[in-house]
Amino acid sequence: MKIAVINGPNLNMLGDREQDIYGNKSLEDIAGELKETFGTHEIIFHQTNDEAKLISILHDLNTTVDGVVLNPGGLTHRSVALADAVKAVSYPVVEVHMSHVLARENYRKRSLVSGACRGTISGFGLNSYALGVESLMLLLNR
Amino acid sequence: MKIAVINGPNLNMLGDREQDIYGNKSLEDIAGELKETFGTHEIIFHQTNDEAKLISILHDLNTTVDGVVLNPGGLTHRSVALADAVKAVSYPVVEVHMSHVLARENYRKRSLVSGACRGTISGFGLNSYALGVESLMLLLNR
Amino acid sequence: MKIAVINGPNLNMLGDREQDIYGNKSLEDIAGELKETFGTHEIIFHQTNDEAKLISILHDLNTTVDGVVLNPGGLTHRSVALADAVKAVSYPVVEVHMSHVLARENYRKRSLVSGACRGTISGFGLNSYALGVESLMLLLNR
Amino acid sequence: MKIAVINGPNLNMLGDREQDIYGNKSLEDIAGELKETFGTHEIIFHQTNDEAKLISILHDLNTTVDGVVLNPGGLTHRSVALADAVKAVSYPVVEVHMSHVLARENYRKRSLVSGACRGTISGFGLNSYALGVESLMLLLNR
Amino acid sequence: MKIAVINGPNLNMLGDREQDIYGNKSLEDIAGELKETFGTHEIIFHQTNDEAKLISILHDLNTTVDGVVLNPGGLTHRSVALADAVKAVSYPVVEVHMSHVLARENYRKRSLVSGACRGTISGFGLNSYALGVESLMLLLNR
Amino acid sequence: MKIAVINGPNLNMLGDREQDIYGNKSLEDIAGELKETFGTHEIIFHQTNDEAKLISILHDLNTTVDGVVLNPGGLTHRSVALADAVKAVSYPVVEVHMSHVLARENYRKRSLVSGACRGTISGFGLNSYALGVESLMLLLNR
Amino acid sequence: MKIAVINGPNLNMLGDREQDIYGNKSLEDIAGELKETFGTHEIIFHQTNDEAKLISILHDLNTTVDGVVLNPGGLTHRSVALADAVKAVSYPVVEVHMSHVLARENYRKRSLVSGACRGTISGFGLNSYALGVESLMLLLNR
Amino acid sequence: MKIAVINGPNLNMLGDREQDIYGNKSLEDIAGELKETFGTHEIIFHQTNDEAKLISILHDLNTTVDGVVLNPGGLTHRSVALADAVKAVSYPVVEVHMSHVLARENYRKRSLVSGACRGTISGFGLNSYALGVESLMLLLNR
Amino acid sequence: MKIAVINGPNLNMLGDREQDIYGNKSLEDIAGELKETFGTHEIIFHQTNDEAKLISILHDLNTTVDGVVLNPGGLTHRSVALADAVKAVSYPVVEVHMSHVLARENYRKRSLVSGACRGTISGFGLNSYALGVESLMLLLNR
Amino acid sequence: MKIAVINGPNLNMLGDREQDIYGNKSLEDIAGELKETFGTHEIIFHQTNDEAKLISILHDLNTTVDGVVLNPGGLTHRSVALADAVKAVSYPVVEVHMSHVLARENYRKRSLVSGACRGTISGFGLNSYALGVESLMLLLNR
Amino acid sequence: MKIAVINGPNLNMLGDREQDIYGNKSLEDIAGELKETFGTHEIIFHQTNDEAKLISILHDLNTTVDGVVLNPGGLTHRSVALADAVKAVSYPVVEVHMSHVLARENYRKRSLVSGACRGTISGFGLNSYALGVESLMLLLNR
Amino acid sequence: MKIAVINGPNLNMLGDREQDIYGNKSLEDIAGELKETFGTHEIIFHQTNDEAKLISILHDLNTTVDGVVLNPGGLTHRSVALADAVKAVSYPVVEVHMSHVLARENYRKRSLVSGACRGTISGFGLNSYALGVESLMLLLNR
């Protein structure tokens, strides 16, 4: 199975940024652990701060992956365009968040992107990624 | 590890009720599959339609389980008392939903219980339970 | 035809409670009159202050009645779980209110349960029950 | 007993209009059935698309009928003037709807007219009219 | 000076309708008193329950009166079309209300028509009309 | 092709009324220009200040026109009854506005009628009508 | 008859302040004109920028005046304490505004003080005061 | 005098639960201290996590106590049924909270139950109970 | 112990003002009763209609009293400045209301001052003051 | 005349994406048809998923085109920056949508970009583009 | 240049009050530092807890200062009267806040006074004052 | 000291765009003046229309500047991602606006970015930049 893990704005700062919320591992560390855990599968990793690139990556993957794990970062709450992109592709997309967005500021409680995804996993720190990949495998019956 | 999977109102009707949303497996089927999947761990299963019983179960488990997977059903959106119960216990609680509540009616988009839990998993049908147990194991470093 | 008339919280206080709003007949009086009026049909009567019991009664009646007349009392406005229970059963449920809830306090103007029922009858005092039974008979073509 | 059944905008299109919501009987069919059912009583039937005419009809009936069954159609949700007219007359007015307005679009969930009426009956298709007449008879003790 | 006093829905019921709010004088009584008080001026009186007629009357008076006293009744709170008509004419329009609308139900506290008028007079019973005529004379410097 | 262009309240005042917003051409001028531009088609023109007449015109045209261009004027924002009438007919209705309602007062930004129409054209002055007729022709494949 | 005309914050700046809204007459000019117009009556004039003094003036006048004309200025929209003071006295209070507050900024559209007064007069420039005195005389039957 | 002190959901966890908010005394400690302080009076103590039991306890006490001190816990903010029960009984009910609910999360600032009680005491830790009993004695003139 | 009881706007009118809500005792009567009840303690009494004086009194008492009982009157709902003053002092402040503000008009249900106080006592008429003093003594462990 | 047709996020997926809403023609097909229809004019076509590029394209066209037809896609509802860009250029911009945004999800009903444009055309499928070009020609008097 | 620095409620408590938010310097310290920094200019300093005095000070300075730096304290968020006073004077007023009000409680995020001022400076502790004076000099081109 | 001045969307159009709001100087002019004014410090200037680039610039400057002056343009009001980027860096960021955003359209009154910055300076035209640099120097104690 081939799965893309796509990360939005500021996730390149993981390990550095607000460690009490996001922990001290970098995105590279997470990618490494994921690849180890799901060794028999192909895991692609993307990060960009750019909404337009996220949209284009989603479009371009349309025939090449079995599913996507998406951490939209701060675009979660506002981006109709990203939600539309999720609806425009045919593979399943699972939304993940490291922090528990529903327990944070009010403006983080609303997700425009969630409604377009198959499911949401929120609050498990770096484990949110592993659970996201796992959830896709379950959805696709592995 | 010992984990309790606790289900709120109407989940006893699974397999019967609104099959297009909730699928055709019963809660017993789900319990069976979970026990099989996580064979080396002890999984306890509860279902009740009663908010007060849910609260009491959460209280009573306080020193006997390592964590709880909670599907609060329709109490998710309104019950301050259940959220307070989650805050009152010392073990981690993970909220799960079979349907993707953030993609349904507006009144389901607000969760009072989420903010009290460690994390939320929503939208994966019966697999939400397995992911919930998995997430607890990751949180507890197994 | 077999019909259950199910009453939620505080309706056991009828005849006693706020008589200017609810009149001076007890629930037993109403049950008596209903049975007299619809003598050729079987009318079952339940009252409970317990949301969970209301839900379980609705579940348990699933194959044994032709329809239900439901006065959810104060649960009308808040209980997602009760609304879910109404959606989970296969017989028709008609919501009734003795007082005219749409003409009372703002918090009574919103009904979560209404949307799950087949219809609503509100404001006719104890006659709301007779009209509820009548409406079910019309729905079922007697 | 003499009762007027008054219908607001678009109800002249019954039988034609959005049949999945409103059924395939015309207003004339409904009037016929009502007169048959309540043969010993005098039933007057009005339909107009005109808010002002509805108001004037209500005024003019003030000393000549025992009660009114009112289906305000789309005026239900917005017309303060119609609600004021209901308050300005001395006979009881019962609001009826064929579809279950509380289970439809948000803008239909608010009724300005309801609060001025004695009661509301909603969701029983053409039977809403018969229940409306019945409710008036019960209110007036026949 | 020539002034038109224009009354909207239900004001034909004055003297009859909700006397605790609106008093026991009819619109004819009010017209009579006004004509007596402002004897040297021409006072025209209109009442209609019809929003469209109110609009047309406003249009038609455009070159024939010096000003208008408008009691829009229940249309006050909702009618964009009536407010647009007030904006479309060149003479000054003063809004009057017999009851004190700002001290009544919430839905009466919002006036769409007010913003299009030159001023508002509210709460003085039948004297609101005399004050309205007086205010026009002051505006027009008599 | 036969198309009706229907105008709501205050549009009879065009050319006269608030010229900075609506320009200085009368509705007759617009009708004349439209007939000239679309000479090979039959264009019917209606204007009324009366919501009820608008509804009745829409009903009556049901089998006689290919489509309707509707400028609901101030009824745009409030009239559920007019929106219901648009839904009750079988031909396509296109909503037009001369001013750009989405760039004006807040209470003009909400359109109840839009949702019932096939499309909306707003902000092109008198050209909105020509674009409305054009759009119908495109919808009907001429 | 003895009437007090009481003015709140910033009205001492009349004639100076935002002349396009408030005109170029000072409060003294207005007082002079009022006294001339209502020569046979005693008119007392107060202005203060101080909410507490307004409240105390209202209290102190309780047995000495027949009525009060109150222009609460910017306190209109926010002061529960001033509204409570109006409710605490036994003589009638009429609210006046020179500008048409219902046609201005949104935060001016809400009046906490209005609901405590007998009536409101708004939008007639300095004539609002004369109309206020007149309205009191009408209320008191002179 | 006989007074019942009734506690809602999660209050059985006092002394254990979120000690920074609720202190380290158990409900039994509080009951003991209360009985000592008010030795000459009969103080009954109830705690239940069950909304229905709270309602039934309130009903059943109707002729046997002089008043009730009610800490509704998390039901404070949502339970129309509990508020209705308070309205349905004839003895005075005083609402108490240990924490200062008006200074906590937004969803705790709204109390449906308060409006049905005679008064509210909030924020004094375990002393809220003693003040509640005291307030009842003052209300009943001891 | 030395305690100040501070009263805001309109409380000087007690005994006079809206007796159905506030009773017929004056503030002096209440002061007298309080001093009698708590004879061994020093009780200072202030009343002012002036927000600024309330703030200054609170500041000035900062090192001279053990605590303050504050009835902010109509300033309760709006005054950020008064709430800031409560936060700026080091002694405990308890908010009291004679009427039950949570059971009155909507605009009285929101208290900006409450959140800055240690606790709130509302609805016990003049006894609210005695309970307020009592609560301070309990807070300070007398 | 030279006109640019500019398309925002996800419009590159036309023909592929949600065909029930957007039809089965690609953007290239639409460009081709437009060029054919308006053969004597120069039509430039842009599509980008990038808000910043849209803004820059609008800036760069400032002296080179006569007008712009803009389909902002999902940026319609949220992008203040894009609306500011439309306001910053001197040529007219017309907003077009293929689907009827006012008849879709609530979050699509609000357009920040509309208010900055000259007009809006919504709901005519691929014909929205032709109508947009047409409208520009009418605005520019061709 | 002559500049007045005017401070509203509770700012006399600086240095004492909530030091984690407002620092440990008194207003006198700040005044001293400002006078030192801007030695060649005349800096007047006012502080009052009284809204009315703030208004009167603003009025009285009207011809004697070149500009005003205003820290309205808790009046920022509510006082229409103070905002009106700022609009009523002819010199420029700059609003300053020591704490960053936009990053604090929700009720501090709304400023009625801001809209009347020329600009706002917020969040720089005591330096906000120096920046305020600096900004006035820049506005006035020194 | 090294300070970066970073500008968001549309600020490249300064001098050209809406001159009545933004003045007639270009961003280059502003940069020139700033460098002159703060000659002994290093001032870096960036402008981009691209949210992602803004985020990346903020990240990349993390160890190389002492502080940042940020004018987020239209991203101010909506961009959670940009606010997250400000929180993710360790140097202080000051938000500046040339126009007074709190005195403009409602949608500009809410700033998501403000809460993440150290302070805000708004309304001083091009001087906002100089004040922003000045404020950073004060924050950093130069």
Side-chain angles (χ1 to χ4, degrees), chain I residues 87-88, chain K residues 13-26 98:
Chain I
K87 282 190 207 139
Chain K
M13 297 293 275
L14 274 185
D16 233 15
R17 159 200 186 204
E18 300 178 272
Q19 299 197 0
D20 51 325
I21 302 178
Y22 298 103
N24 59 4
K25 296 221 172 163
S26 71
M98 294 180 70

Side-chain angles (χ1 to χ4, degrees), chain G residues 14-90:
Chain G
L14 274 185
D16 232 14
R17 158 200 188 204
E18 300 178 273
Q19 298 197 3
D20 51 325
I21 303 178
Y22 298 104
N24 60 4
K25 296 219 172 165
S26 71
L27 207 57
E28 285 68 35
D29 297 338
I30 294 173
E33 292 187 16
L34 269 191
K35 283 172 186 169
E36 202 172 32
T37 310
F38 298 95
T40 62
H41 300 282
E42 187 180 355
I43 313 274
I44 310 170
F45 234 78
H46 291 281
Q47 190 277 330
T48 173
N49 295 326
D50 191 335
E51 181 192 45
K53 285 213 189 98
L54 281 177
I55 292 170
S56 298
I57 290 170
L58 287 169
H59 292 171
D60 293 348
L61 292 171
N62 212 358
T63 57
T64 66
V65 295
D66 294 294
V68 160
V69 171
L70 175 65
N71 182 343
L75 298 173
T76 302
H77 318 291
R78 304 279 152 163
S79 178
V80 176
L82 185 56
D84 283 353
V86 173
K87 283 191 206 137
V89 297
S90 53

Side-chain angles (χ1 to χ4, degrees), chain I residues 58-79:
Chain I
L58 287 169
H59 292 172
D60 293 348
L61 292 172
N62 211 359
T63 56
T64 66
V65 296
D66 294 293
V68 160
V69 171
L70 175 65
N71 182 343
L75 298 172
T76 303
H77 318 292
R78 303 279 152 163
S79 178

Side-chain angles (χ1 to χ4, degrees), chain H residues 30-82:
Chain H
I30 294 173
E33 293 187 16
L34 269 192
K35 284 171 186 169
E36 203 171 31
T37 309
F38 298 94
T40 62
H41 299 282
E42 186 179 357
I43 312 274
I44 312 171
F45 235 77
H46 290 282
Q47 191 277 330
T48 173
N49 295 325
D50 192 334
E51 179 193 47
K53 284 211 189 100
L54 280 178
I55 292 169
S56 299
I57 290 170
L58 286 170
H59 292 172
D60 293 349
L61 292 172
N62 211 358
T63 57
T64 67
V65 294
D66 295 292
V68 160
V69 171
L70 174 65
N71 181 343
L75 297 172
T76 302
H77 317 291
R78 305 278 151 164
S79 179
V80 177
L82 186 56

Side-chain angles (χ1 to χ4, degrees), chain D residues 10 12-13 49-50 107-108, chain F residues 52 56 59 78 81 84-85 87:
Chain D
N10 295 303
N12 56 322
M13 297 293 275
N49 295 326
D50 191 335
Y107 63 82
R108 291 195 205 273
Chain F
S56 298
H59 292 172
R78 304 278 153 162
D84 283 353
K87 284 191 205 139

Side-chain angles (χ1 to χ4, degrees), chain D:
Chain D
M1 215 163 79
K2 185 171 170 187
I3 282 175
V5 178
I6 306 180
N7 292 280
N10 295 303
L11 289 159
N12 56 322
M13 297 293 275
L14 275 185
D16 233 14
R17 158 201 187 202
E18 300 177 273
Q19 299 198 1
D20 51 325
I21 303 177
Y22 299 104
N24 61 4
K25 295 219 172 166
S26 72
L27 207 58
E28 286 69 35
D29 297 338
I30 293 173
E33 292 187 17
L34 270 191
K35 284 172 186 169
E36 203 171 31
T37 309
F38 299 94
T40 62
H41 300 281
E42 185 180 356
I43 313 273
I44 310 171
F45 235 77
H46 291 280
Q47 190 277 330
T48 173
N49 295 326
D50 191 335
E51 182 193 45
K53 286 215 188 96
L54 281 177
I55 292 169
S56 299
I57 290 170
L58 287 169
H59 292 171
D60 293 349
L61 291 172
N62 211 359
T63 56
T64 67
V65 295
D66 295 292
V68 159
V69 171
L70 174 66
N71 182 343
L75 298 173
T76 302
H77 318 291
R78 305 278 152 163
S79 178
V80 176
L82 186 56
D84 282 352
V86 172
K87 283 190 206 140
V89 297
S90 53
Y91 51 77
V93 179
V94 169
E95 180 194 41
V96 300
H97 296 284
M98 295 179 70
S99 66
H100 194 8
V101 285
L102 294 169
R104 294 180 66 190
E105 300 94 329
N106 266 331
Y107 63 82
R108 291 195 205 273
K109 284 185 185 157
R110 181 178 183 206
S111 169
L112 276 173
V113 174
S114 287
C117 294
R118 287 287 288 272
T120 292
I121 290 166
S122 157
F124 303 100
L126 57 89
N127 291 324
S128 289
Y129 289 96
L131 289 163
V133 175
E134 186 72 24
S135 75
L136 270 177
M137 293 181 174
L138 290 167
L139 278 175
L140 298 163
N141 290 319
R142 219 160 329 195

Side-chain angles (χ1 to χ4, degrees), chain A residues 16 19 25 31 35-36 38 52 64 70 79 81 98 114 117 128:
Chain A
D16 232 14
Q19 299 197 3
K25 296 220 173 166
K35 283 173 186 168
E36 203 170 34
F38 299 94
T64 66
L70 175 65
S79 178
M98 295 180 70
S114 286
C117 294
S128 288

Side-chain angles (χ1 to χ4, degrees), chain A residues 50-52 55-56 59 62 77-89 110 112, chain J residues 9-13 16-18 22 48-51 73-75 77-78 104-105 107-108:
Chain A
D50 191 336
E51 181 193 47
I55 292 169
S56 299
H59 292 171
N62 211 358
H77 318 291
R78 305 277 152 162
S79 178
V80 177
L82 185 57
D84 282 352
V86 172
K87 283 189 206 141
V89 297
R110 181 179 183 206
L112 276 173
Chain J
N10 294 302
L11 289 159
N12 57 321
M13 297 293 275
D16 232 15
R17 160 200 186 202
E18 301 177 271
Y22 298 103
T48 174
N49 294 326
D50 191 334
E51 181 194 46
L75 297 173
H77 318 291
R78 306 277 152 164
R104 295 179 66 189
E105 301 94 329
Y107 63 82
R108 289 195 206 274

